[in-house]
Amino acid sequence: MRASVRLATATAAAALLIGCVSGPAASKPEQPKKAGDKVLVFSKTAGFRHDSIPTGITAVKELGAANGFTVDATEDAGAFTAANLARYDAVVWLSTTGDVLNAAQQTAFEQYIRGGGAYVGVHAAADTEYDWPFYGGLAGAYFQSHPAIQPAKVHVEDHAHPATAHLGTGTWDRTDEWYNYRANPRDRARVLATLDESSYTGGTMSGDHPIAWCQSYEGGRSFYTGGGHTKESYAEPAFRQHLLGGIRWAVGAAQADCRPEKGYTPIFDGTASSLEDWKQAGPGSLQLNEGDGTLKTVGGMGMLWYDRRELGSYSLKLDWRMRGDDNSGIFVGFPASDDPWSAVNNGYEIQIDATDVPEKTTGSVYGFHSADLKKRDRALNPPGEWNTYEIRVEGERLRVYLNGVKINDFTNTDPARSLRQGHIGIQNHGDADEVTFRDIRLKNLPTKGHPGKDGLGKVRPGKAVPMSDVTAHVTRHVVRRVTPHVTTHHSDPPAPATGSGAGQ
């Protein structure tokens, strides 16, 4: 059936691949208002007092002066009134310890968070308010113990969040006092970074040791980092950027997907070996930089597609960044082919393009269904910053989440197309377009209403099997096998000529 519609749709496909340049252009998306006007640093202690607190306060004030937000600092719990807290976009709990608020102050802070306020916890903020369940949930985990100050290796799990986007694919080596926690926050928060317990002595969390995380919590935002015990931490450029990114996200100056994430399998992790299951269709390429684990579009019009397995019911997540008014997209639901037009003819594209008509701009199902532009604009980070897509396919329903916010909900009714079975791919649109991708991962979802079909779109008896177990059971497509057309650089090449491309 797919082949029979090829000629009939060739003209429409050309319009989709090349893009419509004659229609009126939409205005540029409204970028999120920088809400980080005012931050309160709270550092009262009722237990152990860190001598790094004054250094930390100075660092936050310096970060604010350099990044457009003002900072007040206090150790007076009397600042926790509804009227006073309403003046602040976030409250940084800087190595607080013990029971520092009374019942009325706790109530005021709960109301502040539920009204959209933000919490930033640093180091001993996890050693605070053990008898206040709301605070324990907000912080994400309570302190249990710590070994001596020593070097350790930190592994970044989320390269799109502004608190960790500056850290590369290698380990983040630093010295600090490394906390063990009473519970693992992974089930309720997005873990941004973990400790490698084999790299130091004294870790007690059985190899899964989160050290920084974020979450939405009862109407507000919460970011926590376990770093910051030592005075030296606040002079480290990477740690200062880590702290700044957490504050920027908390106050709403930057967006990120802070929903818990479990069960995803990497299909591109920033290494050349992870590209062995990808093929280039059409001209151009995607350029690999193993230093920062990214793929950058080069030339076009082509597509790098994942040919290891055909997908049926799944969640696809990936991080992407635009240089400016550039153009790319993610194709889903198309058959195996070395021709990029096959994806246009038979699949759907989730667009990446700063400016175009509503059904052809970022978040749209290109040419078919506009995103909710108001939600999209609030969730979208501007060019130069990372964004995260979740593309969720279940049956003929396709949902798009941008930085954790659902911005599109589309159901296919075209009999010539189907989302129930197909491949995924990322587009390299043209010489003037530069879009970068990293951390592409997949998770199988249960197939609703089709008990004999697993998450790969293959008809099989019984239940869907985990993605990690299916390789031996998948019948590979009989297509010519070629080496993926990617170029590898350990440093960024010269940028292509600037300019915006039309189309999808």
Side-chain angles (χ1 to χ4, degrees):
M1 181 174 68
R2 295 183 186 275
S4 67
V5 300
R6 179 64 179 273
L7 293 177
T9 60
T11 301
L16 288 176
L17 187 61
I18 298 171
C20 176
V21 299
S22 59
S27 61
K28 287 192 175 183
E30 177 187 348
Q31 297 303 333
K33 178 183 181 292
K34 184 166 185 175
D37 297 322
K38 202 158 193 177
V39 170
L40 177 65
V41 178
F42 180 56
S43 55
K44 180 179 178 180
T45 55
F48 181 84
R49 184 168 182 84
H50 287 74
D51 63 5
S52 61
I53 287 175
T55 308
I57 293 171
T58 298
V60 176
K61 288 184 174 180
E62 290 172 348
L63 293 172
N67 293 277
F69 58 90
T70 59
V71 178
D72 293 336
T74 187
E75 300 205 353
D76 180 7
F80 283 71
T81 66
N84 190 54
L85 290 172
R87 300 167 55 220
Y88 297 100
D89 299 288
V91 180
V92 178
W93 291 56
L94 180 63
S95 284
T96 52
T97 54
D99 187 0
V100 292
L101 298 185
N102 65 29
Q105 293 158 355
Q106 290 176 356
T107 297
F109 190 62
E110 289 184 14
Q111 292 173 345
Y112 166 76
I113 292 296
R114 290 180 174 127
Y119 164 91
V120 175
V122 180
H123 193 56
D127 189 23
T128 304
E129 294 288 356
Y130 289 94
D131 297 323
W132 182 13
F134 177 91
Y135 182 86
L138 179 69
Y142 282 121
F143 163 81
Q144 182 180 60
S145 64
H146 67 78
I149 297 171
Q150 59 191 296
K153 294 184 181 298
V154 179
H155 292 288
V156 174
E157 291 194 14
D158 188 321
H159 292 96
H161 194 284
T164 46
H166 63 294
L167 302 169
T169 56
T171 58
W172 183 19
D173 298 330
R174 58 182 311 271
T175 297
D176 215 322
E177 181 182 78
W178 304 111
Y179 276 8
N180 299 305
Y181 301 95
R182 298 185 180 187
N184 191 316
R186 188 176 293 278
D187 287 338
R188 53 194 176 276
R190 172 61 168 140
V191 173
L192 305 178
T194 58
L195 283 173
D196 180 353
E197 289 192 334
S198 70
S199 69
Y200 72 106
T201 59
T204 64
M205 297 187 69
S206 302
D208 183 13
H209 195 141
I211 197 63
W213 54 82
C214 62
Q215 61 173 322
S216 297
Y217 189 80
E218 296 201 17
R221 290 185 175 193
S222 169
F223 167 83
Y224 173 83
T225 178
H229 172 86
T230 66
K231 294 179 181 179
E232 292 79 10
S233 295
Y234 299 98
E236 295 175 31
F239 183 77
R240 286 169 68 97
Q241 184 65 35
H242 173 63
L243 182 57
L244 173 63
I247 294 171
R248 290 188 68 241
W249 173 80
V251 301
Q255 309 305 317
D257 189 347
C258 282
R259 298 173 298 166
E261 183 172 311
K262 294 179 70 175
Y264 285 81
T265 298
I267 59 173
F268 169 68
D269 63 6
T271 63
S273 60
S274 66
L275 288 172
E276 292 176 358
D277 295 314
W278 294 77
K279 295 178 66 178
Q280 179 70 24
S285 65
L286 281 98
Q287 183 182 76
L288 173 65
N289 184 331
E290 289 191 291
D292 61 6
T294 61
L295 285 171
K296 183 184 294 183
T297 61
V298 178
M301 300 170 118
M303 178 183 65
L304 187 70
W305 62 284
Y306 184 65
D307 81 328
R308 184 181 185 98
R309 53 180 73 112
E310 200 168 47
L311 304 172
S313 185
Y314 59 93
S315 169
L316 168 69
K317 285 191 176 183
L318 73 167
D319 305 330
W320 57 269
R321 181 180 64 191
M322 300 173 62
R323 178 188 56 184
D325 185 9
D326 297 297
N327 192 308
S328 185
I330 298 93
F331 282 95
V332 298
F334 58 91
S337 176
D338 291 333
D339 182 359
W341 296 90
S342 177
V344 177
N345 290 346
N346 301 287
Y348 287 104
E349 182 196 9
I350 293 81
Q351 176 71 329
I352 298 172
D353 186 346
T355 56
D356 209 328
V357 295
E359 69 274 14
K360 298 178 181 178
T361 190
T362 298
S364 67
V365 180
Y366 184 85
F368 292 91
H369 196 261
S370 172
D372 182 321
L373 297 183
K374 289 184 178 180
K375 288 184 178 180
R376 190 280 309 275
D377 289 352
R378 288 193 295 268
L380 180 65
N381 287 320
E385 297 187 20
W386 287 95
N387 291 277
T388 299
Y389 265 161
E390 180 191 5
I391 299 168
R392 194 174 184 91
V393 175
E394 294 176 282
E396 297 293 355
R397 186 182 183 188
L398 187 160
R399 282 171 285 178
V400 181
Y401 295 78
L402 174 64
N403 295 324
V405 176
K406 187 172 74 171
I407 62 168
N408 208 331
D409 195 335
F410 168 75
T411 299
N412 171 56
T413 58
D414 182 352
R417 302 169 188 264
S418 178
L419 289 166
R420 295 184 183 276
Q421 184 172 324
H423 290 272
I424 61 170
I426 54 178
Q427 184 192 45
N428 55 293
H429 182 268
D431 288 330
D433 295 302
E434 183 182 300
V435 178
T436 306
F437 298 91
R438 66 180 173 191
D439 287 351
I440 306 176
R441 59 258 195 214
L442 277 170
K443 180 169 76 172
N444 283 347
L445 300 176
T447 304
K448 299 177 182 178
H450 293 269
K453 194 177 272 192
D454 67 22
L456 303 176
K458 296 289 186 181
V459 178
R460 301 195 184 282
K463 298 179 180 179
V465 294
M467 188 170 294
S468 59
D469 298 336
V470 305
T471 304
H473 303 287
V474 175
T475 302
R476 299 296 297 275
H477 296 289
V478 183
V479 295
R480 182 173 58 89
R481 184 77 179 169
V482 297
T483 302
H485 187 185
V486 297
T487 51
T488 304
H489 289 265
H490 293 278
S491 60
D492 285 334
T498 58
S500 62
Q504 113 286 358

